[in-house]
Amino acid sequence: MNDRSSPVIVWFREDLRLADNPALHAARQTGQPLICIYIFDDESHALRAPGGATKWWLHGALKTLGESLRKHGGALHILRGATQSLIEELIVAGHASAIFWNRRYDEAGRTIDTAIKSTLKERGIAAESFNANLLHEPWTIARKTNAPFKVFTPFWRALRAKGEPDAPLAAPRTFSFHDLPKSIEPVALADLHLEPHKPDWAGGLREAWTPGEAGAHAALKHFLKSGLPNYAEARDRPDKPATSRLSSFLHFGHISPRQVWHAAQAAMMSGTSKASSTDLDKFFSELGWREFSYHLLFHHPDLATTNFQNRFDALTWRHDAKASRAWQRGLTGYPIVDAGMRELWTTGWMHNRVRMVTASFLIKHLLIDWREGERWFWDMLVDADAANNAVSWQWVAGSGADAAPYFRIFNPVLQGERFDPDGAYVRRFIPELARLPAALIHKPWKATQDQLAAAGVRLGQTYPQPIVEHDFARKRALAAFETTR
Ligand code: FAD
């Protein structure tokens, strides 16, 4: 059956939105009724299992997308199991003539998608894929030699030279849906158990975030008005709400980079945003780092586990479970590091500058393998992203493409004093230090007993002494990293 009454399947993945969704748009244009699905695949073991914070977000994301489709008279059918066999069963049972999806860029996902495409093609079923989540896909940008880029600036220049990204597609107003065939059993969202129970650690996440398309547009609107003006100067300040906080919305595809790009440009042109062209360029170049990370992941699929520069394989890492735990819990004795790790613990997100400082502390001060940090962030971040997380961790370690030089070792005290000068960020996440004066808040061990007593701090009891001394750690890291030269 391949007539106008046979259904087409729209397979949602990391594109959980109705607007600017090319797969959904193309499926609708067939004029055939749609079966909208999401597959929770915990059987294809090559796929990296989602972390705890990702699962929490996914629950909200699927719920809101389901509600949006229901408003139009449809549903999001959630299936659970091995992707390929589920799709093949659904196509046969539903007499579907085609399946549409938006592309992903991790190797395990791509392997599954390619296998599905070729099996369906043999059976005369159309499987069409689209670009929903990048300004330009990784293989469309290459050096003159055709080799992939390894350095951000020429990559970004090449991307900009391609011209403006396509204008986003509007959300469809009307749909025609088809029921899920009776023989296919959907699962209820609650039965995926994505939300934590006993203990329910997600209270802080719930307070901080509203997963879904509406939440994404609210965050964007707020940012364009109050964050984009002065973004270039203030984006490094964790004490100010200066950045967009769009990363998880982009990761789950509640909003597309094309939408963000064009909305930012329009806000500036119309005067809704009082940003300068420097602010806009800086913001676009951060979206550019996201594109670059996907470019790297596509060409080097094992970035989360393997040094991009293999000379870093020579490094001997320390195994120190106690130090590692102190880092995870925000108990290193360095306030800016601890504030960051507690922001992550409580809200599932951390400011970019502080991500760099905390990652550097684990890798350089504690000499603990960057992969351990990558895994912790993967579990804890609501924006945990295969490309951005791996590339950023390798950037800090110095082992990545276009990475920070290995001898750059952040001094956590100076970083704190420079980027959180009044200590407002530290006070927010480390209440036990809140009464220390700004001059001491990033180095409480320099305070006199009287100063500590006045602030109600008992070092070693209410807040730890530094777990490692900075100068010692710096020299130890330099000696260890010498082996990578
Ligand atoms: P904004 O400053 O408003 O930037 C806009 C968007 O650009 C972001 O939403 C994000 O999509 C993208 N972006 C910004 N900076 C970067 C960057 N350095 N690399 C890639 N994309 C960027 N980002 C993730 O999305 N997921 C991760 O798992 C992740 N892990 C990181 C781990 C470490 C150790 C470090 C140093 C950075 C990591 N980042 C990650 C990058 C960056 O910290 C976040 O994207 C950013 O803090 C998100 O906040 P925002 O949306 O307010 O950013």
Side-chain angles (χ1 to χ4, degrees):
M1 183 163 74
N2 186 4
D3 55 34
R4 287 181 59 80
S5 65
S6 67
V8 300
I9 294 162
V10 181
W11 175 18
F12 284 93
R13 296 121 63 99
E14 284 173 357
D15 53 349
L16 302 174
R17 64 177 181 269
L18 299 187
D20 198 31
N21 188 323
L24 177 65
H25 184 82
R28 241 185 105 258
Q29 281 193 324
T30 62
Q32 294 166 240
L34 312 182
I35 299 179
C36 296
I37 61 164
Y38 180 87
I39 298 178
F40 187 76
D41 184 346
D42 45 3
E43 286 180 25
S44 303
H45 294 300
L47 293 169
R48 189 170 182 184
T54 295
K55 286 204 270 185
W56 173 81
W57 188 290
L58 183 61
H59 180 96
L62 296 177
K63 185 164 173 270
T64 51
L65 182 62
E67 284 163 1
S68 302
L69 288 168
R70 255 197 310 283
K71 271 189 207 144
H72 291 282
L76 179 67
H77 306 289
I78 302 173
L79 311 179
R80 180 177 200 163
T83 302
Q84 184 158 2
S85 51
L86 279 176
I87 286 193
E88 288 174 16
E89 266 174 60
L90 176 59
I91 299 255
V92 173
H95 305 288
S97 62
I99 178 164
F100 293 75
W101 68 72
N102 294 308
R103 284 187 282 273
R104 50 185 167 182
Y105 306 94
D106 62 293
E107 191 174 42
R110 281 193 287 130
T111 306
I112 292 175
D113 297 351
T114 309
I116 294 173
K117 256 194 186 176
S118 65
T119 312
L120 294 184
K121 202 168 162 198
E122 279 166 22
R123 300 204 203 143
I125 310 278
E128 289 195 38
S129 65
F130 303 83
N131 168 23
N133 289 344
L134 291 174
L135 298 171
H136 296 285
E137 292 184 295
W139 53 89
T140 65
I141 297 174
R143 289 195 276 173
K144 285 206 181 82
T145 57
N146 248 347
F149 281 99
K150 291 183 180 174
V151 179
F152 175 71
T153 305
F155 167 84
W156 186 228
R157 222 180 289 128
L159 191 148
R160 293 298 306 253
K162 289 181 86 71
E164 287 292 287
D166 290 342
L169 302 159
R173 293 224 190 122
T174 56
F175 292 87
S176 133
F177 292 104
H178 194 286
D179 286 339
L180 197 64
K182 294 252 174 321
S183 60
I184 304 285
E185 188 99 10
V187 287
L189 179 56
D191 290 341
L192 292 180
H193 301 295
L194 297 172
E195 290 200 298
H197 294 281
K198 291 187 192 161
D200 174 8
W201 44 258
L205 277 64
R206 253 176 239 119
E207 232 170 78
W209 305 102
T210 312
E213 212 167 344
H217 287 277
L220 175 63
K221 193 172 164 206
H222 178 75
F223 169 68
L224 295 179
K225 194 149 183 281
S226 28
L228 190 57
N230 208 29
Y231 176 81
E233 206 186 302
R235 61 177 287 273
D236 268 323
R237 294 280 300 266
D239 56 336
K240 296 189 171 180
T243 69
S244 71
R245 300 172 74 98
L246 280 172
S247 45
S248 33
F249 296 105
L250 283 163
H251 169 76
F252 285 89
H254 295 316
I255 197 163
S256 75
R258 290 188 290 250
Q259 289 175 299
V260 175
W261 182 285
H262 286 284
Q265 230 160 25
M268 264 198 54
M269 307 259 257
S270 68
T272 330
S273 182
K274 306 278 177 247
S276 66
S277 58
T278 314
D279 292 320
L280 190 67
D281 282 349
K282 190 69 206 156
F283 180 61
F284 281 175
S285 81
E286 294 310 316
L287 292 175
W289 271 98
R290 179 175 180 272
E291 299 278 316
F292 184 51
S293 300
Y294 275 86
H295 183 81
L296 291 170
L297 181 74
F298 177 78
H299 292 291
H300 308 275
D302 54 359
L303 274 181
T305 49
T306 309
N307 286 313
F308 181 86
Q309 300 180 47
N310 59 14
R311 63 196 169 89
F312 280 74
D313 296 348
L315 246 168
T316 309
W317 299 105
R318 290 174 65 245
H319 297 279
D320 185 340
K322 203 168 156 219
S324 185
R325 199 169 164 78
W327 176 79
Q328 292 173 353
R329 298 290 147 121
L331 292 170
T332 67
Y334 286 94
I336 192 74
V337 174
D338 294 340
M341 296 309 290
R342 294 189 201 184
E343 178 175 34
L344 178 63
W345 181 270
T346 335
T347 71
W349 186 87
M350 195 198 300
H351 185 277
N352 179 61
R353 167 60 47 180
V354 194
R355 291 189 203 205
M356 292 197 281
V357 174
T358 54
S360 172
F361 190 86
L362 183 80
I363 298 166
K364 308 273 171 84
H365 283 71
L366 301 180
L367 218 53
I368 289 176
D369 194 332
W370 62 264
R371 281 159 278 231
E372 201 176 299
E374 196 274 345
R375 286 195 297 273
W376 182 252
F377 273 31
W378 180 262
D379 195 29
M380 300 295 291
L381 279 171
V382 287
D383 64 23
D385 184 276
N388 292 354
N389 200 37
V391 169
S392 300
W393 272 95
Q394 292 225 39
W395 185 88
V396 178
S399 60
D402 202 4
Y406 78 89
F407 48 80
R408 177 158 155 199
I409 298 174
F410 284 129
N411 178 329
V413 176
L414 298 183
Q415 288 287 312
E417 289 175 345
R418 179 156 173 218
F419 296 110
D420 180 30
D422 307 322
Y425 177 72
V426 164
R427 280 176 233 284
R428 194 177 330 142
F429 290 102
I430 314 185
E432 60 268 38
L433 297 181
R435 285 159 56 205
L436 274 178
L440 291 168
I441 196 150
H442 292 291
K443 44 184 180 213
W445 61 92
K446 294 260 174 163
T448 62
Q449 283 310 321
D450 285 352
Q451 286 168 318
L452 289 173
V457 178
R458 272 173 289 132
L459 270 192
Q461 291 178 44
T462 56
Y463 183 73
Q465 295 275 5
I467 58 169
V468 65
E469 200 265 319
H470 172 70
D471 285 333
F472 162 80
R474 187 170 176 281
K475 283 190 195 117
R476 180 175 67 180
L478 284 174
F481 274 75
E482 270 293 305
T483 58
T484 65
R485 277 176 28 116

